[in-house]
Amino acid sequence: MAEIHTPDEPDSVADRPIGTRSFIYGTKTLATAVVALILTIANGGDTEPAFWVLVSAGVLGVMFSLIERTTTRGAEVVSHRRVNLDVLGTVGLAVVVNLVIHVAQR
């Protein structure tokens, strides 16, 4: 079921090109990957799997944005709250992958 947004809702932005949501997701995830890279360097590589999960998801988000923009016309409503939740979910996935790999290497 589609989300219903009203024009005065502060979290929604109307009339953005198709692919904007994927682009925002990808760039926010790549920014989070930079933080994970800094943590990886700081702790001797213990969080490297999380870094690679975040980089992969971020690149996929940007690539999907490019595909959507070149193949689809129209506009979409972008909920930044929803994108932030998606990024947090991806960070959670990266943490789980990192823990599984860490435990498997012991």
Side-chain angles (χ1 to χ4, degrees):
M1 194 164 160
E3 291 182 79
I4 299 173
H5 295 281
T6 59
D8 59 345
E9 184 179 343
D11 187 47
S12 67
V13 180
D15 299 329
R16 294 288 185 185
I18 294 291
T20 301
R21 185 179 333 184
S22 298
F23 182 76
I24 293 170
Y25 167 79
T27 55
K28 285 184 177 184
T29 305
L30 287 172
T32 307
V34 171
V35 173
L37 176 63
I38 293 168
L39 291 173
T40 298
I41 292 169
N43 66 23
D46 287 341
T47 57
E48 186 177 352
F51 165 74
W52 287 112
V53 169
L54 293 169
V55 167
S56 300
V59 169
L60 282 174
V62 172
M63 292 287 92
F64 277 126
S65 171
L66 295 174
I67 292 168
E68 289 171 341
R69 286 181 187 222
T70 58
T71 60
T72 310
R73 301 235 187 279
E76 68 180 338
V77 175
V78 177
S79 171
H80 293 286
R81 186 176 331 143
R82 174 58 196 242
V83 172
N84 290 340
L85 288 174
D86 291 344
V87 171
L88 285 175
T90 305
V91 169
L93 172 66
V95 168
V96 168
V97 167
N98 197 76
L99 287 173
V100 168
I101 290 174
H102 185 68
V103 168
Q105 291 178 347
R106 286 190 164 205

